Amino acid sequence: MPQNLFRFGPQLAFGALGLLTLFLSACDAGQVNVRSTARKAPSSSIVMPAELRAALEEALPTGQSGGQLPDADEAFLYGVGIGAIQELYVEAYHPREVAMAGLVNLGKQADFSLQSNNGVTRIDGPGGQMEFEEPDGDYYLEWGLHSAFVALHMITSSERIRRMPQASRETEIFEGYMSLLDGVSRYLPAADADLFRDDVFGFGGMGILIAYEENGIRVREVVRGGPADDSGLQDGDLITHVNGQRVTGEMSEDLVLGLLRGPVGSLATVMVQREGRTLRRTVSREIVALPSLRGQMVGDVAVIQMAVFSEQSTEEFLDVVRSLRKEQPSSWLLDLRENPGGLKTAAQEIADYVIGKGPILVSAGRDIDNKDTVEAKPNDILLGAPLLVLINGNSASASEILASAIQDNGRGIVIGSTSFGKGSIQTSFDLPNGAMMTVTSGAFFAPSGAPLNKAGVTPNICFTDRSPKAVIDDALNSVSAPNIAAIRARSILAQNMKDKDNYRSVCPPSERYTEDDSDLALQLAMSPEAYQRILSASASLSSLR
């Protein structure tokens, strides 16, 4: 392969990539909910510089076999994909590893075997053995051209691969890239990626509230009279596929919601598990407007239940708080159970209104020591009243941001069970072929620095496997301080930050959503003595900052 064929510097093409990178963490509401039908024009893809195109076209035999051979656009596409992982992914990979993963996956379609040794890619299979000199360095565009040359050999040697449409060939290559990563990073072909190119307010929804589980997406509540209700979906159904795409709780909220939402009037075919049966339902997406929270007085306690963090959550929160403050509550209970997250900016804004002053959120990319911190302004709309946050194993993402901010700043106490543990930052952008690529580019941390991703928030007071009497007795025991689960869990991470399994075992995540837990939370909220004892015993959590 010619050396230094197009050494124009990574900034030439990847400068465009930086401009087009979209952080969808601001668009990942856990509620399928929209407010308008206006569509946004597709964003422009990364454009290949003319000088680079000329070099690639000179290197590749284009214009033959009816366009079935790799051309400059395809080589550029592979290079951009390799470069995105090289530059953005949270862990470092050499372009060789990425390129080989893609080629190996394509080769599997026709019994090719590939190896990379001593600067040479060897390929065995239909057409015999071939060797391809590899690029000397780590310039991703050279590795994209190398990938195109190896793919060219497969096409000319295998009838099966030659008959594959170019889009299918590209998908195989990119799915190979994704196989190296974390299971959440993903490649969406152009047809599926169209779902992500609508304005965030221009989606039709199914009218469901969801919870993330390992094997799918649980329908927590079906909006009565909404499209999901009309199609026969029921509370408790487990959605496993949407339009043929597998969905799991390990996928990012952006990807899951991009599959669930779509243009108003578009159809979504969902596969669900219900009482051991697999069912297929077709849902016509429509506009479904739902409040994200509701508040009420229970005795002297102001209770706010939040279903999701949406674009209107901050204003709804302020309106509810101002209304309930007129009742002069003695304490506040924020119920975040089953809240899968949503707009992280909404969680940050609400935290800013309640914690008074201090860090809200810490984030970091590949360089874990280079962290960014979001700080709260001096402000407390709850006027310093006792604040309790109730979570469970399905409280995720934005819920964990708010709960950890309240906990680590000593503004209140968290009760219930350890949360889900969804704290990854994902970066998505359009590719030159109209597809979309999403890679995990960083992670969120609690203000103390404790990890949230795959760890979750451990409550101050754990409800899991404990009777209400045991919890109350522990909180009010005058002989010893309350048993603070979060402190025990943090001590495990202090010894080994990777020991997340033992960390989560201190207060095992529970999907329980019962009136018993609600009643127990209210008992703690109604006891100033219990609250102050728990808060005092938890003081070291805020000192960890």
Side-chain angles (χ1 to χ4, degrees):
M1 176 180 140
Q3 299 300 310
N4 300 319
L5 186 63
F6 35 89
R7 273 287 184 196
F8 308 131
Q11 70 278 2
L12 188 62
F14 235 82
L17 177 60
L19 291 174
L20 291 168
T21 294
L22 302 176
F23 284 87
L24 295 185
S25 58
C27 312
D28 57 353
Q31 177 180 356
V32 185
N33 177 21
V34 300
R35 297 195 302 184
S36 81
T37 59
R39 288 179 62 91
K40 194 174 184 179
S43 58
S44 56
S45 299
I46 301 166
V47 178
M48 188 187 337
E51 190 179 1
L52 176 58
R53 177 178 292 280
L56 287 171
E57 288 178 347
E58 181 179 351
L60 284 164
T62 57
Q64 303 176 32
S65 300
Q68 288 300 304
L69 299 185
D71 57 13
D73 291 306
E74 192 168 342
F76 181 64
L77 171 68
Y78 298 150
V80 169
I82 293 167
I85 294 171
Q86 179 186 9
E87 299 291 331
L88 301 175
Y89 188 62
V90 69
E91 296 177 17
Y93 279 100
H94 191 280
R96 176 186 296 103
E97 298 174 86
V98 183
M100 287 301 298
L103 292 170
V104 166
N105 199 57
L106 177 62
K108 288 178 181 178
Q109 311 310 309
D111 299 322
F112 286 101
S113 64
L114 293 93
Q115 289 185 327
S116 173
N117 289 301
N118 300 319
V120 173
T121 297
R122 292 181 176 85
I123 179 168
D124 284 291
Q129 184 182 88
M130 284 286 291
E131 293 186 351
F132 294 86
E133 180 185 356
E134 296 176 347
D136 289 335
D138 60 359
Y139 184 29
Y140 55 89
L141 289 177
E142 286 189 342
W143 283 96
L145 181 58
H146 176 75
S147 297
F149 272 115
V150 179
L152 169 62
H153 171 72
M154 294 189 205
I155 293 167
T156 56
S157 302
S158 166
E159 180 72 17
R160 181 180 302 176
I161 292 185
R162 186 158 55 249
R163 290 180 178 274
M164 291 175 64
Q166 179 172 329
S168 298
R169 189 167 66 233
E170 293 167 355
T171 296
E172 295 297 340
I173 291 278
F174 273 83
E175 287 185 350
Y177 298 165
M178 297 299 106
S179 69
L180 282 179
L181 310 185
D182 55 4
V184 177
S185 301
R186 195 170 188 188
Y187 172 82
L188 286 179
D192 297 324
D194 285 342
L195 293 173
F196 290 86
R197 298 192 179 98
D198 293 286
D199 182 68
V200 69
F201 303 118
F203 287 102
M206 296 184 185
I208 56 176
L209 297 178
I210 61 173
Y212 292 87
E213 296 187 9
E214 181 178 354
N215 297 320
I217 305 301
R218 183 72 64 182
V219 178
R220 182 157 58 87
E221 182 179 340
V222 175
V223 177
R224 303 312 166 206
D229 189 29
D230 292 342
S231 70
L233 287 182
Q234 296 180 9
D235 296 355
D237 283 348
L238 183 70
I239 298 175
T240 60
H241 294 79
V242 180
N243 288 337
Q245 291 270 351
R246 182 81 169 91
V247 292
T248 73
E250 295 301 316
M251 292 167 58
S252 75
E253 293 162 71
D254 302 313
L255 292 175
V256 171
L257 296 174
L259 292 172
L260 293 175
R261 298 183 297 189
V264 172
S266 63
L267 299 179
T269 300
V270 298
M271 301 292 291
V272 301
Q273 295 290 324
R274 181 190 301 165
E275 298 177 349
R277 295 179 296 156
T278 299
L279 305 174
R280 183 193 301 267
R281 295 288 184 267
T282 299
V283 184
S284 176
R285 299 181 178 97
E286 303 294 342
I287 294 177
V288 183
L290 298 170
S292 65
L293 59 85
R294 59 189 178 190
Q296 62 178 330
M297 293 297 299
V298 180
D300 291 333
V301 180
V303 179
I304 299 178
Q305 295 175 295
M306 290 198 69
V308 70
F309 291 84
S310 67
E311 62 272 4
Q312 67 265 27
S313 289
T314 303
E315 286 305 314
E316 289 181 358
F317 180 80
L318 295 176
D319 289 344
V320 167
V321 167
R322 289 172 183 135
S323 176
L324 293 177
R325 270 197 332 203
K326 298 174 183 177
E327 306 295 327
Q328 298 183 327
S330 61
S331 59
W332 296 79
L333 174 60
L334 182 58
D335 189 348
L336 298 180
R337 289 176 299 170
E338 300 296 306
N339 185 323
L343 288 177
K344 296 175 178 65
T345 51
Q348 294 173 35
E349 289 167 357
I350 292 172
D352 198 0
Y353 278 107
V354 300
I355 68 172
K357 185 180 180 181
I360 296 173
L361 175 69
V362 177
S363 61
R366 185 180 297 173
D367 182 4
I368 199 68
D369 295 323
N370 186 16
K371 294 185 172 73
D372 293 321
T373 301
V374 177
E375 294 277 347
K377 300 180 291 292
N379 193 10
D380 184 356
I381 196 173
L382 304 184
L383 306 179
L387 173 60
L388 298 88
V389 182
L390 178 58
I391 61 175
N392 71 356
N394 286 327
S395 304
S397 192
S399 294
E400 294 169 306
I401 290 173
L402 180 55
S404 64
I406 292 169
Q407 182 183 64
D408 281 5
N409 283 282
R411 176 57 188 87
I413 62 174
V414 179
I415 55 180
S417 75
T418 298
S419 60
F420 188 89
K422 186 181 287 288
S424 61
I425 302 171
Q426 291 177 298
T427 303
S428 296
F429 51 89
D430 293 336
L431 290 166
N433 64 345
M436 177 173 281
M437 187 173 174
T438 299
V439 296
T440 299
S441 54
F444 294 115
F445 298 83
S448 63
L452 295 178
N453 198 43
K454 298 183 179 180
V457 178
T458 303
N460 303 60
I461 299 297
C462 182
F463 288 4
T464 307
D465 301 327
R466 301 179 75 194
S467 68
K469 183 178 185 304
V471 172
I472 295 299
D473 287 348
D474 179 43
L476 293 175
N477 189 324
S478 60
V479 177
S480 60
N483 184 349
I484 306 301
I487 291 178
R488 289 189 286 123
R490 295 281 179 86
S491 68
I492 292 173
L493 289 183
Q495 298 176 40
N496 182 0
M497 283 290 284
K498 296 183 178 180
D499 193 4
K500 295 178 181 179
D501 289 340
N502 281 330
Y503 170 87
R504 289 173 69 79
S505 70
V506 170
C507 180
S510 171
E511 296 178 2
R512 188 173 65 193
Y513 186 86
T514 66
E515 289 299 321
D516 289 343
D517 284 354
S518 301
D519 292 342
L520 179 54
L522 283 169
Q523 288 185 62
L524 292 174
M526 292 176 180
S527 173
E529 180 184 355
Y531 176 83
Q532 289 300 329
R533 283 175 51 79
I534 295 168
L535 194 63
S536 297
S538 304
S540 62
L541 289 174
S542 57
S543 69
L544 291 175
R545 298 202 312 270

